[in-house]
Amino acid sequence: MRALLIQFIIIGLAGCSAPLPREVPFDSTGIRPGPVDWTAAFATPQDIEVTALVTGEVKVARSVLIDLDHADIVDGDDRDVWVPVLAYLVRHPRHGAILLDSGFDASFTDSGHGNFGGLAALFGSLVEFTRQSAGHDVVSLLHKAGVEPGELEMILLSHAHLDHTAGLPGLPASVPVVGGPGAILGHDVKWYAPTDHFAGRTEIASLSFEGAPDSGPGRTLDLFGDGSIFVVSTPGHAPGNLSVIINGIDGPALLTFDASHLQEGFRDGVAPGKVSDRSAADLSLNRMRAFAKANPSLRIFPGHELPNASGAPGLLRLIPSAHREMNAGR
């Protein structure tokens, strides 16, 4: 037993030797502060297309997904559940294709741990905790959607936890990676898996919310300055945690990412169980819920739940485009 424990420690330490990229300021050309008047912003939607890429599943405890100690929790059973690992392809008529989070790469088809190394690889060889159907990795799904990975304008990470960065090794290192302030700190998971999802990347561009209006769901940036994609600082779950509001032609949509893993948590006002700052996580969720109540047309898409949307296997269209040519690839 002692020898096995030593082996666990050696593998775990070996997995955290890869250097992390440095954070550099995001090129703010074209970016603007978010709106103060959200009613006016939503009155001028943009013709963009959003497709959810269902890249696999991960098995986690409910206590990670939702705070079981919260006074308002209804189902307090801490059982293991399978949840989807999502990325979102956004196609903009002028700014091209961007990816929100990176999902899983193709290594998850062949094993129960994919590119999670260290202790995760050891345990994953004994008990499956990730799964993926062949052809459902992020690169394959991009191809099915008609987008070449090298054509992506950027990869915007909601945060840098492993299940959100595991698709990066399969994507071209030439595509810029963007995150919230301090996001890279959330990727340092020494005792679980190697921090090599950023291999080949020396930089991650960091958004600054300094001077952004603190209205509605939180401090917000208008990513392209045209009212189409709003990036919201939703601290608490992880360093640099972000959520995104899409202002599409069939109504606005809030992608909570891991500021709220489940519809259950959003509905009942219960933040995730795994957080870096409990009070900030609770405040971020409460602000998003108040914002949704004030804007009843807003659709909510939590971070680890399949969206109610139509589409081909692995591709769920959240927001359609009015222009057919946008659906045929670029």
Side-chain angles (χ1 to χ4, degrees):
M1 179 65 72
R2 184 176 181 180
L4 184 60
L5 178 60
I6 292 173
Q7 182 182 6
F8 282 3
I9 293 173
I10 291 173
I11 294 174
L13 289 175
C16 61
S17 58
L20 292 173
R22 68 182 183 275
E23 290 196 17
V24 298
F26 177 73
D27 180 0
S28 59
T29 304
I31 200 169
R32 295 181 181 177
V36 174
D37 186 345
W38 284 95
T39 300
F42 291 155
T44 55
Q46 303 298 310
D47 188 19
I48 53 180
E49 181 178 300
V50 181
T51 304
L53 312 182
V54 187
T55 67
E57 293 178 292
V58 62
K59 183 165 64 175
V60 295
R62 267 178 51 81
S63 56
V64 171
L65 300 172
I66 197 165
D67 180 12
L68 297 182
D69 294 326
H70 195 283
D72 294 333
I73 192 70
V74 176
D75 179 0
D77 181 18
D78 189 15
R79 59 189 179 274
D80 288 342
V81 294
W82 286 97
V83 295
V85 175
L86 303 168
Y88 297 89
L89 170 64
V90 180
R91 286 188 271 202
H92 190 287
R94 292 178 299 282
H95 296 282
I98 70 171
L99 193 64
L100 309 180
D101 279 349
S102 69
F104 280 169
D105 73 2
S107 65
F108 291 84
T109 301
D110 301 323
S111 74
H113 57 82
N115 60 27
F116 293 177
L119 296 179
L122 184 58
F123 289 122
S125 65
L126 303 173
V127 179
E128 182 183 54
F129 67 91
T130 70
R131 58 192 185 193
Q132 180 190 72
S133 300
H136 282 230
D137 60 279
V138 64
V139 170
S140 295
L141 291 178
L142 284 172
H143 285 150
K144 289 180 182 178
V147 173
E148 288 297 321
E151 296 176 354
L152 293 170
E153 296 297 324
M154 73 171 72
I155 302 165
L156 176 65
L157 296 177
S158 65
H159 61 298
H161 283 169
L162 300 181
D163 54 322
H164 296 259
T165 61
L168 291 178
L171 296 167
S174 58
V175 179
V177 176
V178 181
I184 197 62
L185 298 176
H187 196 64
D188 189 15
V189 191
K190 291 187 173 76
W191 294 100
Y192 185 63
T195 53
D196 63 353
H197 289 168
F198 288 89
R201 302 176 190 274
T202 59
E203 297 179 347
I204 176 173
S206 181
L207 293 168
S208 173
F209 289 85
E210 184 176 353
D214 190 11
S215 64
R219 295 194 180 278
T220 306
L221 297 172
D222 185 341
L223 186 61
F224 294 130
D226 63 357
S228 62
I229 302 173
F230 301 109
V231 183
V232 187
S233 176
T234 49
H237 173 67
N241 206 72
L242 303 174
S243 300
V244 173
I245 295 173
I246 305 292
N247 190 20
I249 56 173
D250 62 342
L254 169 61
L255 310 180
T256 71
F257 294 98
D258 285 8
S260 183
H261 292 105
L262 306 172
Q263 286 283 3
E264 172 190 357
F266 196 91
R267 179 196 68 213
D268 297 335
V270 183
K274 178 180 173 60
V275 296
S276 61
D277 185 324
R278 170 58 58 199
S279 61
D282 290 341
L283 179 60
S284 290
L285 178 58
N286 289 336
R287 292 195 64 167
M288 287 192 298
R289 294 178 74 236
F291 181 69
K293 185 176 181 179
N295 296 274
S297 65
L298 185 72
R299 291 179 293 161
I300 309 299
F301 296 101
H304 281 289
E305 208 159 71
L306 285 178
N308 183 17
S310 62
L315 301 174
L316 298 176
R317 186 182 300 178
L318 271 61
I319 300 175
S321 167
H323 297 295
R324 185 62 57 184
E325 60 268 23
M326 286 181 61
N327 300 329
R330 304 187 68 82

